[in-house]
């Protein structure tokens, strides 16, 4: 008899999917344009180190001297393609902080949209790299209860805005924890 009472309390009504808000329609905040400078600085350092290694290889390995034009051409094409890819992907990045979740979108070949519900967030980090600090930029890293696949890192946010976002999310977490404690 008791199980029939429990079953009568159970509801599993269908949801009208057309009434669900569409995340694609959310206007996303873009990373600050100075973050593109940070990307270029990092690329420049990478390509200088990589170029020096290629130069050393060509200098000390006789077989590579014969193919110096081919090696240099491949190096320049590779460098140009990577820069174009990152500039294009930079324009596709965006984020939004909403009352119930955080959204981050990126990618040009394989577009990825991550939506992290606020109640899944375990902790938040605010990071400032060496070059980002020069341009007063930071990144927010959101760690979730879902493991690595649910983690989110939003780069290129003006540091004051990043601190505000961190504080807002931390306050939301504190409110959620306090309400859980009160309910228990």
């Amino acid at each position: 008899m008791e199980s029939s009472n429990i079953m009568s309390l159970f509801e599993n009504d269908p949801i009208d999917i057309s009434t669900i808000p569409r995340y694609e329609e959310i206007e996303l905040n873009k990373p600050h344009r100075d973050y593109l400078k940070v990307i270029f600085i990092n690329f420049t350092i990478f390509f200088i180190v990589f170029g020096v290694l290629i130069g050393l290889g060509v200098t000390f390995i006789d077989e590579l001297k014969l193919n110096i034009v081919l090696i240099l051409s491949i190096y320049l094409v590779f460098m140009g393609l990577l820069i174009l890819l990152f500039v294009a992907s930079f324009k596709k990045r965006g984020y939004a902080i909403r009352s119930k979740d955080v959204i981050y979108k990126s990618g040009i070949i394989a577009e990825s949209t991550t939506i992290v519900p606020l109640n899944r967030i375990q902790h938040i980090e605010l990071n400032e790299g060496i070059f980002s600090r020069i341009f007063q930029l930071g990144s927010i890293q959101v760690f979730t209860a879902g493991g690595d696949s649910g983690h989110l890192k939003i780069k290129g946010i003006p540091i004051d805005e990043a601190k505000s976002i961190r504080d807002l999310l931390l306050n939301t977490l504190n409110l959620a924890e306090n309400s859980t404690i009160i309910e228990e």
Side-chain angles (χ1 to χ4, degrees):
M1 183 101 164
E2 191 174 311
S3 68
S4 66
N5 288 338
I6 292 173
M7 290 305 287
S8 66
L9 296 176
F10 177 76
E11 293 182 23
N12 193 9
D13 297 328
I15 297 174
D16 181 6
I17 295 177
S18 65
T19 64
I20 297 174
R22 299 185 49 82
Y23 74 86
E24 297 93 343
E25 296 170 359
I26 302 297
E27 187 174 332
L28 300 175
N29 300 306
K30 300 291 183 187
H32 194 276
R33 64 182 175 278
D34 283 346
Y35 186 64
L36 198 53
K37 295 175 187 175
V38 173
I39 292 172
F40 279 122
I41 291 170
N42 289 328
F43 267 128
T44 301
I45 292 169
F46 170 77
F47 284 117
I48 287 172
V49 169
F50 196 60
V52 167
L53 291 175
I54 290 173
L56 289 172
V58 168
T59 302
F60 294 111
I61 301 172
D62 292 331
E63 293 83 26
L64 293 180
K65 286 181 184 175
L66 301 173
N67 297 316
I68 191 167
V69 173
L70 177 64
I71 292 169
L72 186 60
S73 298
I74 291 171
Y75 172 75
L76 292 174
V77 167
F78 177 70
M79 184 173 68
L81 285 175
L82 272 179
I83 289 171
L84 285 174
L85 219 98
F86 270 89
V87 168
S89 74
F90 177 81
K91 293 177 180 180
K92 295 292 246 174
R93 296 178 191 182
Y95 66 94
I97 312 298
R98 302 190 307 172
S99 62
K100 298 199 184 307
D101 56 30
V102 177
I103 299 175
Y104 182 68
K105 182 178 172 183
S106 65
I108 51 170
I109 295 170
E111 191 174 284
S112 170
T113 302
T114 305
I115 302 172
V116 176
L118 296 182
N119 64 356
R120 301 294 294 167
I121 296 174
Q122 289 189 325
H123 70 278
I124 298 124
E125 279 185 10
L126 174 63
N127 300 305
E128 295 178 72
I130 295 170
F131 301 116
S132 293
R133 193 175 302 140
I134 292 170
F135 295 100
Q136 298 179 354
L137 300 173
S139 64
I140 295 281
Q141 188 161 6
V142 176
F143 295 90
T144 65
D148 288 343
S149 64
H151 295 340
L152 185 64
K153 189 165 191 174
I154 305 171
K155 300 177 180 181
I157 305 171
I159 195 65
D160 292 336
E161 183 179 332
K163 287 177 181 176
S164 295
I165 292 170
R166 178 202 56 199
D167 294 344
L168 172 74
L169 293 175
L170 286 174
N171 286 336
T172 304
L173 289 178
N174 289 336
L175 289 173
E177 285 177 12
N178 290 337
S179 69
T180 304
I181 293 169
I182 292 170
E183 289 174 7
E184 293 174 355

